[in-house]
């Protein structure tokens, strides 16, 4: 078993391994697409990024995008290997997770970066990183407070979906549409071609910057995330990525970035113009998205990627995500973490 650790920007090495593994696995999420992996690998990042490629004589076994983080725990300085919940890894079916875990820890030590623990979170069922995390002695734990991701089932006619949403939502959408159309013409446009996606992303960034996200969470204020998204949209397979924009007399009022992975449509990001908030443009665009997916035989569900309070009004089902802290018992910090965890379990 051979393990290569790269600090990012090495898609010429990571890409062939990723594509080899992806060819035998269904792409269930944008986080498992080659376009997203390439965008994250190539975009200028921090010194913390590590791309771990594990292979044997039969070919690639795993590609794992992780990060090195430092943390203090009492008198101990810990080095942790963690994930970003917006990314996933790929693991071959023939890989043995326990051997994979050992290879990762040994390779980090050989590199001069021994880690005290693997801390992985936000892992949906079936993800590659979930397979790695399950190899720890305590396995996976469902995330209760901040975990989960919301899913809307679209395997029914649009009218049946609307009937099941409840009177309050239907009334609110009807009133919002009436307010909107009293102000001007309502139109939803979809950008799917590369040139159109570039321009549509620029509009999205401008819309997002008008609201509460502008100070810290908007793409305009996060250059690396902005670069990743642009690279992703440019590298996505034709027709897979879409920027949907709701317009008022041509003016962008709300926008969504989506990606179709198999029969799942991921709703990656949403934004609306704060100056038009009284017209509920984001709700109108969301209703249009659900109705359009209900009419498509190739889309069985919309994955909202995260779990947020506003998802409830759309009658979304929450699916669990998982986390794991896997202490490295060959390190003092790992032993300390394991001891503290044992104390918590026994109530001591």
């Amino acid at each position: 078993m051979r393990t290569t650790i790269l600090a990012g920007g090495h898609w010429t090495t990571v890409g062939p391994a990723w594509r080899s593994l992806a060819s035998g696995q269904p792409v269930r999420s944008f986080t498992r697409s080659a376009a997203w992996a390439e965008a994250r690998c190539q975009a200028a990042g921090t010194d913390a990024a590590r791309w771990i490629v594990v292979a044997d004589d039969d070919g690639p076994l795993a590609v794992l995008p992780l990060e090195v983080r430092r943390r203090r725990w009492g008198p101990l300085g810990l080095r942790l290997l963690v994930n970003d919940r917006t990314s996933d890894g790929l693991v071959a079916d023939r890989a043995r997770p326990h051997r994979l875990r050992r290879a990762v820890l040994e390779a980090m030590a050989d590199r001069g970066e021994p880690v005290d623990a693997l801390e992985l979170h936000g892992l949906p069922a079936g993800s590659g990183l979930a397979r790695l995390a399950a190899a720890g002695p305590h396995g996976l734990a469902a995330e209760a407070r901040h975990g989960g991701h919301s899913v809307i089932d679209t395997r029914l006619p649009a009218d049946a979906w609307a009937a099941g949403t409840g009177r309050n939502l239907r009334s609110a959408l009807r009133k919002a549409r009436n307010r909107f159309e009293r102000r001007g013409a309502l139109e939803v446009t979809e950008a799917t071609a590369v040139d159109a996606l570039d321009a549509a992303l620029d509009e999205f960034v401008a819309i997002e910057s008008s609201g509460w996200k502008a100070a810290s969470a908007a793409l305009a204020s996060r250059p690396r995330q902005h670069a990743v998204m642009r690279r992703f949209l440019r590298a996505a397979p034709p027709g897979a990525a879409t920027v949907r924009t709701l317009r008022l007399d041509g003016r962008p009022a709300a926008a969504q970035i989506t990606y179709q992975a198999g029969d799942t449509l991921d709703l990656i990001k949403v934004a609306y113009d704060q100056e038009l908030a009284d017209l509920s443009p984001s709700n109108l665009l969301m209703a249009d998205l659900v109705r359009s997916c209900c009419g498509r035989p190739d889309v069985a569900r919309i994955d909202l990627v995260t779990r947020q309070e506003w998802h409830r009004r759309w009658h979304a089902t929450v699916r669990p995500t998982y986390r794991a802290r896997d202490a490295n018992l060959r390190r003092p910090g790992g032993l300390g973490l394991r001891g503290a965890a044992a104390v918590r379990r026994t109530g001591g």
Side-chain angles (χ1 to χ4, degrees), residues 1 22 25 32 59 88 104 178 180 186 240 261 348:
M1 188 178 293
Q25 301 181 20
R32 296 168 68 86
D88 193 13
V104 169
N178 289 339
F180 200 98
L186 182 155

Side-chain angles (χ1 to χ4, degrees), residues 1 17 19 21 44 60 74 137 142 189 197 252 254 288 290 293 298 308 311 323 339 344:
M1 188 178 293
R19 291 192 175 94
L21 291 168
T189 60
L197 284 169
D288 182 82
V290 178
C293 288
D298 60 327
Q308 298 183 35
H311 297 170
R323 68 183 309 276
R344 286 195 298 270

Side-chain angles (χ1 to χ4, degrees), residues 268-281:
I268 302 173
K269 287 186 75 67
V270 299
Y272 66 91
D273 187 334
Q274 190 70 41
E275 293 183 0
L276 301 176
D278 62 309
L279 302 181
S280 303

